[in-house]
Amino acid sequence: MLFGFAGVFPVLLACILALAFEAAAQAPAPDSPAIEAKASALVAKLTLEQKIELLGGEDRMYTHPAPAIGLPRLKMSDGPMGVRTWGLTTAYPGGAALAATWDPALARIVGESLGKDARARGVHFLLGPGVNIARTPLAGRNFEYFSEDPFLNASLAVAYIEGVQSQGVIATVKHYALNNQEYNRHNVSSDADERTMREIYLPAFEAAVTEAHVDAVMNSYNLVNGVHSTQNEFLNLQVLKGEWGFQGILMSDWDATYDGVAAANNGLDLEMPSPRFMNAQTLLAAVKDGTVKESTIDDKVLRLLRAVLRYGFLDRPQFDPSGSTYSVADRAVALEGAGESVTLLKNEGHLLPLDPARIKTIAVLGPNAYPAVTGGGGSSEVQAFEPVSILTGIADLLGTGVSVLYAPGLPGEDEVFRRTNWEGGVKVATYQNGDFTGSPEVTAVDKIADWKPSPWGVDNLHPSSIRYTAAFKAEKAGKYLLLAAANGEDAFKVLVDGKQMLAHARTEGQVPQSATLDLAAGQKVSVEADYLPHAPGVRLGLGLIAEADLISEDARQFAAAADVAVVAAGFNHNTEGEGHDRSFGLPWGQDALIEAVAAANPRTIVTLTGSAGADTRRWLAKVPALLDLYYPGQEGGTAVADILFGKRNPEGKLPVSFDRSWDESASAAWYDPVKGADTALHVTEPGKNPVDYVIPHVKYGDGLLVGYRYWTTTGKHPLFPFGFGLSYTTFSFDDLKLQAATAAGATVAVSFDVTNTGSVAGAEVAQLYVSDPSAKASRPERELKGFEKVRLIPGETKRLTLNLDARAFSYWDAAAHKWTIDPGKFIIRVGNSSENTPLNAELKLN
Ligand code: BGC
């Protein structure tokens, strides 16, 4: 059933794009003495007050205007997976998905499309890409970012930024720097040594500046080594503007500024979304008393004006009607992105591709089957026009004559709360204080089912604390789901028979918390929940229900009746997103659903939505096929269907190591140590100066050993390694050639053959890893330093050449404070994952 996908999609896409971008392309003009002179002349026309006004944003998504010099306010839009701020738009695959394509040329096309979408909406700044390292699978925004590897991140970021900026739109690389978790993001300090920063966390930013010449950088919320990034001298002045020569605008994340003078003196050029700190009140006085120099203010204004002149914002409208706001060309780009990213992780007995001619009935089940899950939650969340769900993608591909049976398979949270049978009701003790002391008002309820949305940012003016006490009797033996959800910044903990099973500290956002209990028939447990609402009212749901009762009867029936079953599982915009980290386990009930479907139908395929690894242990051995989708954007459903039925050959490769369990993941031991502690004491409102709280420090004790660097250095193996992904064909790697010896610092050309040894066309990603066994400093066992995707028809061989520059062999010498190559032996390995490198050769650098 396979038909010639290799080559056809990229060619079609290129044609569509060539037409679409002809009109819009408008690369920024290079800097020139004329721009410099003009920018200086404009600054000279502004009073100090007018200059200070330009250092703060307005109306959440604009810079401030300067009518005295004819400067309009400049419009921004969130990215990175769509121009999301100004209404419906195209939702492209998220960063993790883009990274799974290992295709910088495609990242550039996505960037161009985004630039064009921005121009069609008059947007000057796109707030993307996000390039933070996926240090832990739990980090809530990994789906926006790219991967666990700095080289892959840098390659994609450069292409994406060049694409956006080629359309006359400023790209904003974010979040600088070390924003590797969402939990407690306004307060937490990421503490890493300089070598770790230089080798792992900074290279993508560095490449964005030095290679792609990005014109805006956004600081992160978190502190770095104890200093807010918006006032971090090391990051902003020494590295970004000093060593890397950044000429553009350094803006804050929204409400990530804490001190106007410190920010002004330590590199921040633009405080977003409004001048709460870098304002006239603070800075006029500071200039007057000499704590901030006027030349420092001038430098910030000059940066803005240079960019304005470079992009021609004063000479042309930013709105470009030659782009469409609804675009067929964009849809093709989004589809190609999704298609290239979907990663086949398991395909036992070659179940896939399915032959549509042999399918009469298909069951499409699971919470992510419908509606489409295009992206995670938060500021990147795009409202797409007609996102294609997995259900509709499959049904459209199969057409009439095949029956498609759909069921989500699991109830909603509210239903779990309502269906829980507490024995003898629930005692509710409400205390008129926040610490469960004194005599409470005691009432009783049948259910704990008050979970509902509530406004954020409302302080608990009349603090209260509520203790729920209940008993539960298991009617049958088996696994039971304990589920709790609250809203906004509410905090809670749940104890079963005195043992804490669930906890949620008072932070931004909430994800339902769940645990599995094994109960015997007739077993009785006591349940106690302590709840701290952040605002007046109650927004808590708590349930305990047998897993066997969770799975809907129709899902079981459909699975049993179908020739093949697809379970669309994973995370969504509620369970994975900005402001909170996620669980390693799948959202509640999904393990049980997959097990139930697999028990009813041995031909069960699981699709997984989520930025990185998740716990598959309960069911992976029971299902023959697994596809990882990341967040595929609006065309994900079509891409999945095309791959399931062989209209496309999967070619995605994991951009992260897929761990078996959270405990074994490389950074688990070094993940936020304050999680679960009473952070209510430490949380300040965003933007307020956190004077009296203890900064929680996350020590990056994992150092360089992030992701596959950890796995390959320790000799242990994750479930699926970084760079891994199956295809419907097979490839071989042969005939590796490189110079045996050369001078340290010279570029080394590495060439080899890749052959399609199977019977269908497909794409392979050749990955080159460098090992430095004779280095004086200890280095990770291998590091990715080159890659290339190649499309081959059956039997075809292509010879690839990857060039390794000096940096490919270097490490950051902390004592010498520079990139260093230790002469001696290096090993060059080539293959198709971080663990499968069939070609290797030694190289001597003198
Ligand atoms: C996010 C940024 C985003 C900004 C504006 C912040 O909460 O961290 O990534 O660009 O909001 O929406």
Side-chain angles (χ1 to χ4, degrees), residues 344-697:
L344 181 62
L345 294 177
K346 182 174 180 188
N347 192 17
E348 212 171 69
H350 299 287
L351 175 65
L352 299 177
L354 301 166
D355 180 353
R358 302 179 66 172
I359 290 183
K360 304 238 166 333
T361 309
I362 183 166
V364 185
L365 310 166
N368 286 16
Y370 183 89
V373 180
T374 62
S379 61
S380 67
E381 210 174 326
V382 170
Q383 294 304 314
F385 288 96
E386 289 142 356
V388 183
S389 69
I390 292 173
L391 174 67
T392 50
I394 290 175
D396 287 352
L397 186 141
L398 290 174
T400 52
V402 175
S403 52
V404 179
L405 301 171
Y406 161 73
L410 291 168
E413 279 93 357
D414 289 336
E415 204 179 318
V416 173
F417 304 145
R418 282 197 314 270
R419 275 170 47 192
T420 298
N421 288 322
W422 300 110
E423 205 182 46
V426 180
K427 179 178 143 198
V428 185
T430 304
Y431 299 81
Q432 294 309 315
N433 53 52
D435 53 13
F436 305 93
T437 53
S439 4
E441 184 193 321
V442 178
T443 52
V445 291
D446 280 348
K447 311 282 174 196
I448 308 170
D450 288 313
W451 187 49
K452 57 180 177 281
S454 72
W456 278 35
V458 185
D459 277 325
N460 191 349
L461 300 175
H462 306 286
S464 61
S465 41
I466 308 174
R467 177 162 294 153
Y468 297 82
T469 314
F472 181 87
K473 187 169 161 204
E475 278 179 6
K476 49 192 169 226
K479 288 193 180 346
Y480 281 72
L481 168 75
L482 176 70
L483 181 69
N487 265 106
E489 297 167 39
D490 295 353
F492 62 79
K493 62 180 182 202
V494 180
L495 289 79
V496 176
D497 283 344
K499 188 170 165 229
Q500 184 168 313
M501 300 299 297
L502 307 175
H504 196 281
R506 194 184 157 186
T507 61
E508 286 179 277
Q510 286 274 4
V511 178
Q513 305 280 315
S514 65
T516 309
L517 310 179
D518 275 304
L519 298 181
Q523 188 178 341
K524 219 167 145 179
V525 291
S526 69
V527 177
E528 188 177 278
D530 280 357
Y531 172 59
L532 288 170
H534 81 286
V538 174
R539 294 156 300 274
L540 180 73
L542 179 65
L544 183 49
I545 184 168
E547 274 193 358
D549 299 338
L550 266 183
I551 313 307
S552 69
E553 209 30 61
D554 53 358
R556 292 181 202 272
Q557 238 176 43
F558 293 168
D563 300 312
V564 63
V566 177
V567 186
F571 297 83
N572 66 16
H573 65 140
N574 291 322
T575 48
E576 180 162 26
E578 183 176 338
H580 52 84
D581 287 348
R582 70 149 161 95
S583 56
F584 190 73
L586 288 181
W588 64 269
Q590 295 192 14
D591 286 334
L593 174 66
I594 297 168
E595 280 181 332
V597 173
N601 191 325
R603 286 158 58 89
T604 291
I605 299 146
V606 176
T607 68
L608 204 56
T609 309
S611 61
D615 196 338
T616 59
R617 285 173 297 177
R618 267 182 67 177
W619 47 265
L620 188 57
K622 299 172 187 162
V623 300
L626 173 63
L627 288 168
D628 202 343
L629 313 186
Y630 318 98
Y631 286 90
Q634 65 174 46
E635 306 297 328
T638 305
V640 168
D642 286 350
I643 285 174
L644 289 178
F645 293 98
K647 207 169 154 184
R648 267 197 89 103
N649 193 345
E651 62 188 66
K653 303 282 177 183
L654 283 174
V656 288
S657 305
F658 196 117
D659 306 321
R660 217 166 273 108
S661 67
W662 163 240
D663 303 349
E664 71 169 21
S665 93
S667 303
W670 302 101
Y671 177 68
D672 185 1
V674 296
K675 186 161 178 137
D678 180 12
T679 52
L681 297 174
H682 310 314
V683 172
T684 53
E685 288 305 308
K688 283 191 197 147
N689 202 359
V691 265
D692 343 297
Y693 81 98
V694 182
I695 298 168
H697 287 263

Side-chain angles (χ1 to χ4, degrees), residues 61 78 127 141 174-175 185 218 221 253-254 379 578:
M61 280 288 164
D78 256 316
L127 303 178
R141 294 181 85 173
K174 63 189 187 185
H175 304 93
R185 65 178 173 159
M218 188 192 291
Y221 282 122
D253 199 341
W254 272 228
S379 61
E578 183 176 338

Side-chain angles (χ1 to χ4, degrees), residues 228-279:
H228 281 290
S229 66
T230 44
Q231 58 196 61
N232 195 306
E233 196 266 336
F234 170 76
L235 286 178
N236 302 341
L237 293 182
Q238 191 179 318
V239 177
L240 177 72
K241 291 183 174 178
E243 289 172 32
W244 300 344
F246 176 60
Q247 294 298 322
I249 302 147
L250 176 62
M251 70 175 79
S252 70
D253 199 341
W254 272 228
D255 290 311
T257 309
Y258 296 89
D259 179 329
V261 170
N265 280 336
N266 290 297
L268 190 70
D269 301 315
L270 177 61
E271 179 184 359
M272 291 302 291
S274 60
R276 287 169 76 175
F277 294 92
M278 289 215 301
N279 53 31

